[in-house]
């Protein structure tokens, strides 16, 4: 069973894109006693190789990303209020009044013009990020500068809640994938495998492009979360995937057309192992597979994801059962691909 305590530890860390060191340090602490070699590249990716019982027929890389979406301080006003920019894709409609941590330690709240002062069409529109600010309770600019500086990262301030078979937390995208790979590293492997924990996925798949070039795999499994639209007001044909119905397999998104034999192999394994499984029923989004599969002479790639509601928001939700079942499927799929199954 996948380690929930480990998942909580990872989700409670702060690591927006480009500021992943806190997450990387904990991952290195967790995996170093169990891997054969480990390195951290110039961009910050962690690349860990573990010897298995046998050499693989196919050189396999498993990948998850360490970074999360967030904000960054761009300006401190004379009134002590902070202006900010988005880091990664965030729905601006959910930002107002959300608590945040600036630089990981300074509490603040995202503010905007009070609703009772809005006029005309302003009342029916979402607030542009340019009109928002973060209030840390500073008296003025000089007071604010004692605690924060332009370039400081801003993370959403949300707890980790495990109730009624669900997990609610910030940064489930993609600390859940990281936790699954760490669990695998701690077990005996049937074949040699390389595990990569990537940086800067949320701002353009940057870390994975560098890491895949270094590793030079023949095949890759990307372990991710993906948007679930199974909520009120969404027509059934637009719900993409469903929380609680098992790991999600993508056949195509905006960055990747996934390897069909590996997709078929994963579906077959899920049936054999009695693991509930679903397809992502939309061509939308993207993940590190988009950079990995076009590296060097090409990499056969599949993504296995956890259905996640409210992705890229201050807090998101997954089913605990999906988390465990995704690890089960990834473990089995990794062995089969390394053994040479799923030939084109």
């Amino acid at each position: 069973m996948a380690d929930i305590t480990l998942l909580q530890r990872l989700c409670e860390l702060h690591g927006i894109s480009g500021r992943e060191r806190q997450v990387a340090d904990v991952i290195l602490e967790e995996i170093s006693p169990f891997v054969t070699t480990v390195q951290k590249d110039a961009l910050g990716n962690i690349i860990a190789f573990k010897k298995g019982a046998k050499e693989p027929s196919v050189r396999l890389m498993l990948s998850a990303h360490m970074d999360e979406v967030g904000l960054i301080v761009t300006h401190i006003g004379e009134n002590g209020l902070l202006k900010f920019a988005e880091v990664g894709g965030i729905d601006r409609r959910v930002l107002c009044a959300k608590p945040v941590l600036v630089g990981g330690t300074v509490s603040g709240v995202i503010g905007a013009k009070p609703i009772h002062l809005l006029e005309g069409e302003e009342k029916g529109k979402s607030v542009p990020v340019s009109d928002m600010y973060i209030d840390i309770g500073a008296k003025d600019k000089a007071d604010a500068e004692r605690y924060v500086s332009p370039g400081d990262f801003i993370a959403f301030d949300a707890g980790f809640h495990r109730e009624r078979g669900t997990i609610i937390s910030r940064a489930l995208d993609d600390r859940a994938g990281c936790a699954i790979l760490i669990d695998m590293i701690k077990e005996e492997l049937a074949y040699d495998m390389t595990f990569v924990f990537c940086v800067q996925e949320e701002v353009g798949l940057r870390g994975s492009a560098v890491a895949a070039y270094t590793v030079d795999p023949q095949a890759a499994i990307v372990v991710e979360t993906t948007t679930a639209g199974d909520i009120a007001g969404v027509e059934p044909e637009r719900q993409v995937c469903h929380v609680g119905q098992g790991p999600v397999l993508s056949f195509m998104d905006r960055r990747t057309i996934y390897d069909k034999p590996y997709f078929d192999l994963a579906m077959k394994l899920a049936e054999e192992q009695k693991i509930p499984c679903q397809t992502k029923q939309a061509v939308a989004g993207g993940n590190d597979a988009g950079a990995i599969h076009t590296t060097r002479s090409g990499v056969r790639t599949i993504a296995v994801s956890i259905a996640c509601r409210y992705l890229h928001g201050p807090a998101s939700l997954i089913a605990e059962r999906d988390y465990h079942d995704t690890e089960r499927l990834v473990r089995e799929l990794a062995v089969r691909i390394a053994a040479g199954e799923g030939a084109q």
Side-chain angles (χ1 to χ4, degrees):
M1 298 284 281
D3 188 340
I4 300 292
T5 302
L6 172 62
L7 176 60
Q8 179 172 353
R9 185 184 186 197
L10 293 175
C11 285
E12 290 176 344
L13 300 171
H14 299 138
I16 72 166
S17 303
R19 302 288 191 274
E20 301 94 348
R21 176 173 291 183
Q22 189 179 114
V23 183
D25 287 347
V26 169
I27 290 175
L28 286 170
E29 175 190 322
E30 290 281 346
I31 69 173
S32 291
F34 302 95
V35 296
T36 307
T37 62
V38 63
Q39 63 174 305
K40 191 174 178 183
D41 67 21
L43 211 58
N45 298 303
I46 295 172
I47 300 172
F49 171 74
K50 179 163 182 172
K51 287 286 294 180
K54 293 181 281 187
E55 291 188 5
S57 298
V58 173
R59 295 191 311 277
L60 176 64
M61 181 179 92
L62 295 101
S63 175
H65 68 88
M66 296 184 284
D67 62 314
E68 62 187 289
V69 298
L71 310 167
I72 194 165
V73 178
T74 58
H75 175 76
I76 302 174
E78 294 299 328
N79 55 7
L81 299 176
L82 315 180
K83 301 298 285 185
F84 61 88
E86 300 156 277
V87 180
I90 300 174
D91 184 350
R92 69 188 187 198
R93 297 174 303 169
V94 304
L95 290 179
C96 283
K98 295 300 187 294
V100 294
L101 286 170
V102 184
T105 58
V106 180
S107 296
V109 61
I110 299 175
K113 187 177 180 180
I115 190 167
H116 62 279
L117 297 180
L118 298 181
E119 298 178 0
E121 294 183 355
E122 287 182 315
K123 294 181 180 180
K125 294 182 178 180
S126 61
V127 182
V129 169
S130 59
D131 290 345
M132 297 181 195
Y133 55 83
I134 292 173
D135 188 345
I136 62 170
K139 293 179 294 184
D140 52 31
K141 182 175 183 178
D143 189 28
E145 288 177 334
R146 295 171 58 199
Y147 308 101
V148 301
S149 302
D152 284 351
F153 74 83
I154 304 163
F156 296 114
D157 189 6
F160 186 96
H161 306 279
R162 184 184 179 192
E163 300 173 11
R164 296 176 296 280
T166 64
I167 296 169
I168 299 173
S169 176
R170 45 170 283 283
L172 286 167
D173 177 20
D174 185 31
R175 306 289 161 70
C178 292
I180 286 171
L181 296 196
I182 293 169
D183 269 355
M184 291 180 64
I185 287 171
K186 291 180 177 179
E187 301 294 331
E188 296 299 320
L189 299 179
Y191 294 94
D192 303 350
M193 295 180 191
T194 299
F195 298 82
V196 174
F197 302 87
C198 294
V199 298
Q200 299 190 40
E201 189 266 359
E202 300 291 4
V203 291
L205 321 184
R206 298 170 187 174
S208 57
V210 173
Y213 187 90
T214 299
V215 175
D216 190 20
Q218 295 171 303
I221 301 174
V222 175
V223 186
E224 257 284 13
T225 59
T226 193
T227 301
D230 56 338
I231 55 176
V234 180
E235 299 87 347
E237 66 272 16
R238 298 182 61 200
Q239 292 186 357
V240 183
C241 60
H242 298 76
V243 169
Q245 294 189 13
V248 183
L249 299 178
S250 298
F251 46 80
M252 179 179 173
D253 58 36
R254 290 178 182 166
R255 294 297 301 265
T256 309
I257 299 175
Y258 291 92
D259 188 275
K260 185 62 164 61
Y262 284 169
F263 177 91
D264 292 341
L265 175 61
M267 294 296 288
K268 175 185 173 186
L269 289 176
E271 184 176 358
E272 290 176 356
Q273 300 296 320
K274 294 182 169 48
I275 300 172
C277 192
Q278 56 184 316
T279 57
K280 182 176 179 179
Q281 299 182 47
V283 177
N287 57 54
D288 277 331
I292 293 169
H293 82 287
T294 57
T295 298
R296 292 184 182 257
S297 58
V299 181
R300 298 182 62 193
T301 304
I302 183 171
V304 184
S305 302
I306 302 170
C308 183
R309 294 179 189 150
Y310 323 118
L311 201 71
H312 290 190
S316 51
L317 179 149
I318 63 172
E320 190 171 325
R321 184 72 258 168
D322 289 347
Y323 174 57
H324 296 308
D325 284 340
T326 298
E327 178 163 348
R328 289 174 59 206
L329 182 57
V330 170
R331 283 175 182 270
E332 188 64 29
L333 183 61
V335 171
R336 300 294 185 91
I337 289 176
E341 293 190 35
Q344 289 177 315

